[in-house]
Amino acid sequence: MIDTLKIELQFSGGMELLFDNQKTIVAQVPAQFPLESSGSDEKPHAATIKDLIGWMATTLLKERPELFIGLDGSVRSGILVLVNGADWELEGELEYELEDGDEIVFISTLHGG
């Protein structure tokens, strides 16, 4: 079994500011969650976007987590998520199982004025 998945993460609309001004990050994401080090009793499962969001929040996010992740473990409202170019709603949202080579795009639709 593959230990990690190569996932290309892209950020725009201001999202990149939360990730150290990086518009693109090619990340090696664990292929299964929960991680052994977490001590969780949860049964191991293939990595989903929900797992990815939590992993990003603890591993890649540099500031203002409240602008990225909501209380339910999803992205905050106002953030558009694309999975390989398609709206994540068409792919199962949080339950989408990540695949090696996926491209996940996070676009903030919230702008000051």
Side-chain angles (χ1 to χ4, degrees):
M1 165 160 252
I2 299 173
D3 292 335
T4 62
L5 304 171
K6 181 179 175 183
I7 306 293
E8 182 174 320
L9 305 168
Q10 296 182 15
F11 309 98
S12 64
M15 292 296 306
E16 65 277 8
L17 299 174
L18 304 178
F19 293 90
D20 204 26
N21 285 319
Q22 296 181 80
K23 289 189 177 274
T24 301
I25 298 173
V26 177
Q28 294 294 327
V29 177
Q32 284 200 328
F33 284 84
L35 301 177
E36 289 181 19
S37 60
S38 73
S40 173
D41 291 335
E42 185 180 352
K43 182 179 175 186
H45 61 270
T48 64
I49 286 194
K50 183 172 185 174
D51 297 316
L52 174 68
I53 291 167
W55 180 85
M56 289 171 62
T58 59
T59 308
L60 302 175
L61 190 64
K62 299 298 182 191
E63 60 182 84
R64 313 266 325 253
E66 71 278 6
L67 296 179
F68 177 64
I69 193 167
L71 297 175
D72 63 353
S74 185
V75 292
R76 291 287 308 263
S77 106
I79 297 175
L80 176 64
V81 181
L82 303 176
V83 176
N84 300 318
D87 188 324
W88 76 328
E89 291 179 359
L90 301 173
E91 302 293 340
E93 295 183 1
L94 293 173
E95 300 310 313
Y96 173 79
E97 288 187 9
L98 298 173
E99 297 180 10
D100 194 49
D102 276 347
E103 176 188 274
I104 312 293
V105 181
F106 298 88
I107 304 168
S108 176
T109 61
L110 304 176
H111 301 282

